[in-house]
Amino acid sequence: MRLAVFTSKYPARVSTFFERDMRALIEAGVEIDILPLLPLDARLWRYGLDILDENVLPRSRVHHLSLPASFWRARPWRRAGTVVRAAAAISASAIRYGPVPLLKSLYVLPKAWAWAAERGDQYDHILAYWGNYAGTSAYLFHRLIGRRIPLTLWLHAGTDLYQRQVYLREKLRYADGIVTCCDFNRTYMIERYGDAVPGLAERIHVSYHGLDLAHFKFQPEARPAARIVAVGRLAKHKGFDYLLRAARLLRDRGRPVEVVLVGDGDELGNLRALAADLGIADAVRFAGWLSFADVQQAMTDATMLVHPSPGLGDGLPNVLREAMALGTPVIASHVAGIPEALDQGRCGLLVAPGDVGALADAVVRLLDDPELRRLFATRGRQRTESEFDMWRNGARLADRLRNTTAAARC
């Protein structure tokens, strides 16, 4: 099976789960081409995982296309009526969310048109790795090629499922298969769209993003006394400000902790200012973007990992699985797919989202109970081995894609 994979950006600073999914499909015998919407930034190749290096996926299989080139190569005479009708419908959906979603939606249309003109006869299946703009581009590509092959839509989290669902209902209706990363998302889609999308539940397949566990050394011992690590893009929906407030509360209780924030993003300045305002700047280290090996080391060098999501944002954060595989105890918010990762609290502590006091209490509980830390470390590793092995999950997904049947549309 030759698979066209539409995604937002590749390479990227944060693409570990995407690369693992692609590598597992390749291992399962799927031949892939990647069609990223955003222009190539060659500096970002260095953030990629070795499991998907050029020897595994040649860079010639990653098909970047600039916006001017897409207009030049779109061949406007080919199925122009389909493009116009689709653009009008998509724009009508996007404009309800504001000018930025509208512009992003319009941005992807000529790319889909150009790729359909040049590559439309090369694939057996189309996979939209994100449901938002990558999904829109894949949808239009599929309509333009005029061939009866399956289209699968993969939905993840806040960026493509919980917020700004541009044309999503229509894409769900159109897709032959739907993949998502946790059972929470499956239930969310059925509850929100089930009445309007016939056969939705039967088409949804849950595929957990997996780990190459051979590269995650289990090291539950020899941890520092009170170091908290948090990993992710420094964005509002990650809730890192709640972690800083909990650290202040712990200092007030006579239980000071060290906080290491790994990542970068729009909230960096606000978080630095908050640490200073709270009087804990001396206990907070902003590590910035790190290579994946260095992220693993930061997790291994911590007493625990905290992921304080304040609400719906991430579906099932990959950093939780990575920490669990390494033997790092986890505290995380009881929201979205996080309870699934932690097996409803058997593998880590769950706290109410946005509750600073509960978060501080959970930190103290782990600090004061080394046996509980060891128990969570052991159960967490077992959980990753049973549910989050990338090779096993990738093989299942490949089988699912091969067995997906295209609807009679053409």
Side-chain angles (χ1 to χ4, degrees), residues 36 79 85 88 95 100 119 147 176 229 274 276 281 342 355 366 407:
R79 306 198 72 167
R85 288 190 295 272
I95 194 63
V100 173
R119 317 188 64 82
R147 294 172 53 227
D176 300 295
V229 67
L274 178 61
L342 301 186
D355 191 331
L366 277 188

Side-chain angles (χ1 to χ4, degrees), residues 43-372:
R43 297 169 298 178
L44 300 180
W45 285 116
R46 65 190 179 97
Y47 291 102
L49 299 177
D50 291 342
I51 58 172
L52 202 68
D53 64 17
E54 192 167 11
N55 295 319
V56 177
L57 180 74
R59 292 177 184 173
S60 62
R61 305 300 292 271
V62 182
H63 303 284
H64 286 279
L65 185 64
S66 70
L67 188 60
S70 67
F71 279 109
W72 177 254
R73 292 152 63 176
R75 300 180 188 173
W77 60 88
R78 189 175 186 271
R79 306 198 72 167
T82 298
V83 174
V84 171
R85 288 190 295 272
I90 292 165
S91 298
S93 174
I95 194 63
R96 298 199 302 268
Y97 299 95
V100 173
L102 174 61
L103 290 173
K104 286 183 176 181
S105 296
L106 294 174
Y107 171 83
V108 308
L109 296 181
K111 291 176 180 272
W113 199 354
W115 278 322
E118 295 186 345
R119 317 188 64 82
D121 60 348
Q122 299 183 16
Y123 303 110
D124 307 304
H125 198 127
I126 299 166
L127 174 65
Y129 192 78
W130 295 94
N132 51 8
Y133 306 106
T136 298
S137 189
Y139 160 80
L140 182 58
F141 177 93
H142 190 273
R143 290 192 59 184
L144 287 169
I145 62 174
R147 294 172 53 227
R148 190 173 174 180
I149 62 173
L151 168 68
T152 293
L153 189 66
W154 197 330
L155 293 148
H156 300 269
T159 55
D160 67 338
L161 179 57
Y162 310 145
Q163 305 156 11
R164 297 184 300 279
Q165 300 97 346
V166 175
Y167 210 62
L168 182 55
R169 181 179 288 103
E170 293 78 5
K171 286 179 281 189
L172 289 172
R173 285 200 195 104
Y174 187 87
D176 300 295
I178 299 159
V179 179
T180 193
C181 61
C182 58
D183 279 314
F184 174 88
N185 283 354
R186 184 179 190 277
T187 300
Y188 181 92
M189 280 188 275
I190 293 169
E191 290 177 349
R192 188 175 183 93
Y193 298 105
D195 291 342
V197 181
L200 177 62
E202 292 77 15
R203 286 182 287 134
I204 300 175
H205 171 68
V206 175
S207 180
Y208 289 131
H209 300 306
L211 306 175
D212 183 7
L213 292 167
H215 291 86
F216 286 80
K217 185 178 179 181
F218 182 60
Q219 294 179 267
E221 306 296 341
R223 302 269 178 158
R227 179 181 298 160
I228 300 170
V229 67
V231 180
R233 186 163 54 89
L234 303 186
K236 195 70 177 174
H237 75 271
K238 298 289 186 179
F240 294 138
D241 53 326
Y242 292 96
L243 174 57
L244 296 185
R245 296 182 191 282
R248 173 71 253 184
L249 185 56
L250 289 168
R251 177 174 287 191
D252 292 341
R253 295 179 183 178
R255 303 298 302 271
V257 294
E258 177 188 1
V259 176
V260 179
L261 292 178
V262 178
D264 203 348
D266 295 340
E267 285 293 299
L268 175 60
N270 291 335
L271 291 170
R272 285 189 184 278
L274 178 61
D277 291 344
L278 293 171
I280 58 169
D282 60 320
V284 180
R285 177 159 60 91
F286 293 89
W289 290 115
L290 299 178
S291 69
F292 184 66
D294 288 336
V295 173
Q296 282 187 309
Q297 193 60 54
M299 292 181 181
T300 301
D301 290 342
T303 318
M304 67 190 75
L305 178 135
V306 172
H307 194 81
S309 304
L312 282 182
D314 297 318
L316 201 167
N318 292 284
V319 295
L320 302 184
R321 287 171 281 213
E322 293 164 0
M324 291 159 63
L326 294 167
T328 305
V330 170
I331 300 172
S333 298
H334 196 295
V335 67
I338 291 174
E340 289 176 52
L342 301 186
D343 197 13
Q344 307 305 321
R346 291 189 70 255
C347 303
L349 293 180
L350 294 165
V351 298
D355 191 331
V356 173
L359 181 56
D361 290 343
V363 171
V364 170
R365 184 179 173 192
L366 277 188
L367 290 177
D368 288 349
D369 195 339
E371 287 300 320
L372 184 61

